[in-house]
Amino acid sequence: MSLRSYIITRILMTIPMLLVLVTLVFFILRVMPGDPVLAMMRPGTPKAYLNELRHEMGLDKPIMVQYVDYLWDLARGRLGTSLAPVRGRPVAKDLWAKFPATLELSLTSFLITIIVGVSTGAYAAYKRRSAADYTFRLYSIIIYAIPVFWLGLMFQLIFGVYLHWLPVAGRIDDLALAPKTITGMYLLDSVLTGNWPSFVNAAKHLILPSVTLGLYLSGIFTRLTRSNMLNSLRQDFVTAARARGISENRVVVRHALKNAFIPILTMMGLQFALLLAGAVLTESTFSWPGLGRFLVERIGYRDFPSIQGTVAFFAILVAVVSLLVDILYAYLDPRIRY
Amino acid sequence: MDERKQSGNGIPLLQLRDLVVEYYTRSGVVRAVDSVDLDIYKGEVVGLVGESGCGKSTLGMALLRLVRSPGKITSGKILFKGKDILTLSENAMRDLRGPEISMIFQDPMTSLDPLQRIDDHFVESIRAHDKHISKEDAIKRAAELFDLLGIAPDRLQDYPHQLSGGMRQRVMIGLALALDADLIVADEPTTSLDVLVEAQFLDLLKDLRRRYNMTLILITHNIGIVAELADRVAVMYAGEIVELGDAGPLFAEPLHPYTDALLGSVPNIKLDEELKIMGGQPPDLLDPPAGCRFHPRCPYAMDRCREEEPPWQEIQPGHWAACWLYAEGKRETLHG
């Protein structure tokens, strides 16, 4: 099978996955108590008026009809329009506007996860049974067990409230400081436009949320890297490389770590979903104006199309990332061909 | 070789003096290599034979100071070209690994980095020891070696998994030759090869040793390949060398009962003699038997063997053994 047909198969395989997911979300939302009309209107609003609104929104149609309509829209790439708080606003537009903030947070967090997780794991394996090994192993369990929002709150308390080093909310102090939009990611845009004051300001805002989310996920990678590294350090080719007088650094990084990296890469693909889930909580903790916070806010409004749209978008994102990981896999390991 | 030794032509390339390697396991200290003395001269092939677990591979790794934890070289000397490598710094030791002493491992399937192309193995190894050699020159050197080893040079761009087992083992030899190692330690180099490939590989080794006057320590349990290649043979049992001599006399007339039993247990294709099976098991090195370690399995065992360690003595010229049978010059051969 060529790489192209592999990619096409994989894309086709995401369709049933997406279908199951949106179906679940669709029905769960409608089984849950409350609807957009109730969420929007004050208690005591006349029932007749509520029903009139429901009729306008099409919420009084039989649920199967609504479902088929929704699927038909989705199949044509239409995510529909918001029901609340602003009726008629295209969901796709909101998603597109919020996505860069989430992407910026996710990428930075993931970078921190990988750097911290892989380096502590590799070091722990290399210095097996040393104090550092036990410390990092303990770290990995503790950080994994800590709820991410609690970690975020602690960071806010220490670095924001007590030390006043870093801001605790938002992406930037003042929207006037935001760089000209190219990608929507402030750090990248301010570099591209050479806008240093905005870079510094955006970076300061990004530190706490991305460290929170990054450290939270790093525990898994510490453990995974350690165990894979222990295994690859035992391999014959590592001893053989040492026996050829290759420097210890090179043996450890270029041979042992590189070989240990393949399962880590797989885990990276799998953890991406967890990263998005963590992003929802982190964004809420840090008032980060991204998709996660958008989702939580719209759940409050029972804005069905926005919730369904965000979930579908996340699902597609996870599918794309796992596909990218599989392609990268083949690039890294010459034994894998599609 | 004999003339060189007798004329005292310089010092041996490698001298082991009272070498001890111990493993610190949970159940206790295991002496895998116990007070080994051995001299290796330039240009000779020495076979190091023994059963699995007798310490021969540990001895091989010790020569490169690569004994894996929890193992440790605890005492003795390894003199290479007259200087003790156990006193070298880790950096100096690294310079020695490759250009001076090189190693070929048991399993060529796992001895090459699966993610690295063959040519990069060569470039990496050559440039680790001489930064002034360009990548192109290193590849050129590898291509010449491939020619010599009978592999098409375009296979250099392959990844290890694309080569057969025999090719990979030839690549391992090539890597050792690329650095012009003075001493090559081959640890069970043919164990994972099939019989035909093994025969080809042995022919290649013979050819190479003629061409390069290679010094080789051949660690194996396969008596056949030792008989084919080795000038001298050292027999190891339970961490100790029990017999050492020129290959011919040693195979024709072994002195130590263990060597005798070992040779007797090699199947003979003519099947004209019944295969002798050596009774018993190698001893537990956590608690080795007192006296001669072979005495529980030895058909010639005497009271003395159970109490005192036998002396290491030259029983015939150049033929040494550690056995009480030959004490005080009573006997000169095992069956005589």
Side-chain angles (χ1 to χ4, degrees):
Chain A
M1 195 156 68
S2 71
L3 184 60
R4 211 176 97 189
S5 54
Y6 176 76
I7 292 173
I8 292 171
T9 320
R10 281 290 303 264
I11 290 171
L12 291 176
M13 270 159 57
T14 59
I15 293 174
M17 172 197 94
L18 201 60
L19 187 71
V20 169
L21 196 72
V22 295
T23 306
L24 277 175
V25 171
F26 183 90
F27 288 105
I28 287 170
L29 282 175
R30 279 154 183 81
V31 166
M32 271 193 337
D35 68 11
V37 177
L38 274 181
M40 218 172 2
M41 292 296 134
R42 265 184 224 140
T45 313
K47 214 162 181 172
Y49 181 56
L50 293 182
N51 284 335
E52 195 181 314
L53 278 177
R54 287 199 179 105
H55 179 72
E56 270 178 45
M57 293 177 185
L59 293 172
D60 56 346
K61 286 189 216 164
I63 197 159
M64 286 318 288
V65 175
Q66 288 186 49
Y67 177 62
V68 172
D69 283 351
Y70 168 64
L71 284 188
W72 177 233
D73 277 347
L74 198 64
R76 288 174 299 164
R78 293 183 190 170
L79 294 176
T81 56
S82 250
L83 300 178
V86 185
R87 238 172 94 190
R89 196 177 151 82
V91 171
K93 206 171 153 189
D94 271 336
L95 293 184
W96 206 237
K98 306 284 182 191
F99 179 51
T102 297
L103 189 63
E104 185 168 47
L105 176 63
S106 310
L107 288 180
T108 328
S109 304
F110 218 38
L111 201 66
I112 292 171
T113 297
I114 298 306
I115 291 171
V116 173
V118 171
S119 60
T120 53
Y123 191 78
Y126 187 60
K127 299 272 178 197
R128 191 181 186 186
R129 294 181 213 280
S130 68
D133 183 18
Y134 289 113
T135 311
F136 287 143
R137 281 162 74 184
L138 195 65
Y139 160 83
S140 69
I141 300 171
I142 291 174
I143 202 80
Y144 187 61
I146 288 177
V148 63
F149 54 86
W150 185 84
L151 188 65
L153 288 171
M154 289 303 112
F155 281 155
Q156 286 178 327
L157 207 57
I158 296 167
F159 297 103
V161 179
Y162 296 155
L163 296 170
H164 297 287
W165 286 356
L166 294 162
V168 296
R171 293 180 76 192
I172 202 136
D173 278 335
D174 183 353
L175 271 182
L177 241 141
K180 209 170 127 253
T181 304
I182 299 168
T183 61
M185 289 185 278
Y186 285 176
L187 281 192
L188 192 59
D189 287 354
S190 54
V191 170
L192 290 175
T193 55
N195 187 348
W196 298 112
S198 115
F199 179 84
V200 171
N201 195 285
K204 275 185 172 172
H205 280 83
L206 187 58
I207 291 176
L208 286 186
S210 59
V211 167
T212 303
L213 187 51
L215 289 186
Y216 167 63
L217 286 176
S218 69
I220 305 167
F221 285 90
T222 304
R223 295 188 79 75
L224 184 74
T225 308
R226 181 179 176 276
S227 67
N228 280 301
M229 191 70 181
L230 281 177
N231 181 39
S232 72
L233 281 170
R234 263 195 299 266
Q235 298 291 313
D236 287 344
F237 61 81
V238 167
T239 313
R242 283 198 179 118
R244 291 198 297 276
I246 297 186
S247 74
E248 193 61 17
N249 268 338
R250 208 181 152 90
V251 169
V252 171
V253 178
R254 288 293 294 271
H255 297 287
L257 186 58
K258 199 177 171 193
N259 275 277
F261 206 73
I262 287 166
I264 297 172
L265 191 70
T266 316
M267 191 54 121
M268 278 166 64
L270 294 173
Q271 291 299 310
F272 187 75
L274 210 64
L275 178 76
L276 291 178
V280 172
L281 294 169
T282 311
E283 286 182 7
S284 302
T285 310
F286 288 92
S287 308
W288 189 262
L291 285 175
R293 200 167 145 246
F294 174 76
L295 179 65
V296 172
E297 178 197 294
R298 293 305 160 100
I299 289 173
Y301 283 113
R302 298 289 188 275
D303 181 5
F304 296 159
S306 295
I307 301 167
Q308 287 159 188
T310 314
V311 171
F313 187 74
F314 276 170
I316 291 169
L317 220 54
V318 170
V320 168
V321 167
S322 72
L323 180 60
L324 283 181
V325 163
D326 278 358
I327 295 170
L328 214 61
Y329 214 84
Y331 173 78
L332 243 179
D333 189 341
R335 287 164 299 186
I336 296 168
R337 285 287 170 263
Y338 297 111
Chain B
M1 180 205 70
D2 271 326
E3 304 86 74
R4 240 198 321 271
K5 246 198 306 185
Q6 277 151 10
S7 64
N9 182 9
I11 46 166
L13 184 63
L14 181 78
Q15 297 162 283
L16 305 183
R17 289 290 172 269
D18 215 14
L19 186 69
V20 177
V21 184
E22 291 173 319
Y23 284 93
Y24 292 82
T25 68
R26 272 176 209 202
S27 12
V29 179
V30 173
R31 268 199 177 198
V33 175
D34 196 356
S35 313
V36 163
D37 287 287
L38 186 64
D39 288 351
I40 310 284
Y41 292 85
K42 187 148 183 50
E44 70 171 339
V45 175
V46 176
L48 190 59
V49 298
E51 284 165 283
S52 306
C54 71
K56 54 195 197 303
S57 290
T58 300
L59 180 59
M61 293 303 267
L63 300 181
L64 281 165
R65 262 175 55 187
L66 281 176
V67 178
R68 282 185 204 188
S69 176
K72 245 169 100 178
I73 300 173
T74 44
S75 70
K77 283 189 173 127
I78 300 176
L79 301 164
F80 183 77
K81 294 183 178 170
K83 69 184 178 228
D84 187 0
I85 66 165
L86 297 182
T87 61
L88 293 178
S89 71
E90 195 45 44
N91 276 333
M93 193 59 218
R94 192 177 310 128
D95 292 339
L96 196 112
R97 289 179 194 135
E100 307 271 11
I101 306 177
S102 206
M103 188 139 184
I104 299 167
F105 293 89
Q106 180 162 2
D107 192 353
M109 296 295 180
T110 56
S111 303
L112 295 163
D113 185 342
L115 304 184
Q116 197 180 32
R117 284 196 337 212
I118 302 295
D119 54 357
D120 288 329
H121 279 88
F122 279 92
V123 172
E124 182 184 44
S125 306
I126 292 171
R127 285 175 51 92
H129 296 286
D130 190 349
K131 290 230 168 17
H132 302 295
I133 297 174
S134 71
K135 197 179 164 194
E136 289 70 33
D137 287 344
I139 293 179
K140 210 181 286 169
R141 172 109 180 91
E144 285 165 19
L145 283 166
F146 261 42
D147 214 33
L148 183 79
L149 299 168
I151 313 177
D154 61 353
R155 302 304 295 267
L156 270 170
Q157 274 118 49
D158 283 358
Y159 284 95
H161 73 277
Q162 292 166 297
L163 304 181
S164 68
M167 272 188 206
R168 281 190 234 187
Q169 200 56 299
R170 278 180 275 166
V171 168
M172 293 308 291
I173 290 270
L175 282 167
L177 293 175
L179 297 170
D180 272 330
D182 293 316
L183 172 66
I184 295 177
V185 182
D187 185 2
E188 304 273 9
T190 61
T191 303
S192 58
L193 303 179
D194 66 57
V195 190
L196 284 176
V197 178
E198 177 181 298
Q200 285 170 5
F201 185 75
L202 292 179
D203 285 343
L204 176 71
L205 275 186
K206 277 187 210 159
D207 181 46
L208 289 175
R209 76 166 287 212
R210 261 200 306 277
R211 220 186 273 246
Y212 289 102
N213 190 28
M214 232 163 47
T215 313
L216 186 68
I217 298 179
L218 193 62
I219 299 170
T220 182
H221 62 262
N222 185 333
I223 306 285
I225 79 166
V226 172
E228 236 181 284
L229 271 174
D231 302 310
R232 281 198 303 152
V233 179
V235 181
M236 256 184 117
Y237 184 75
E240 297 173 326
I241 292 185
V242 294
E243 182 164 359
L244 172 71
D246 289 341
L250 189 137
F251 284 130
E253 225 167 312
L255 292 176
H256 197 283
Y258 174 66
T259 314
D260 188 48
L262 195 65
L263 294 176
S265 66
V266 175
N268 181 337
I269 197 147
K270 289 184 203 131
L271 291 173
D272 52 359
E273 275 174 64
E274 198 167 333
L275 194 61
K276 294 187 198 96
I277 296 164
M278 204 188 308
Q281 292 284 324
D284 178 5
L285 289 179
L286 274 169
D287 182 23
C292 172
R293 289 183 179 179
F294 187 60
H295 83 252
R297 301 169 79 181
C298 182
Y300 304 89
M302 309 171 284
D303 287 343
R304 200 176 196 180
C305 303
R306 296 181 185 92
E307 285 143 25
E308 288 172 78
E309 270 197 56
W312 178 243
Q313 47 183 354
E314 189 169 17
I315 290 145
Q316 285 154 16
H319 196 164
W320 298 65
C323 182
W324 281 119
L325 287 175
Y326 309 98
E328 294 139 29
K330 278 187 208 143
R331 233 197 238 238
E332 285 198 345
T333 58
L334 189 59
H335 299 291

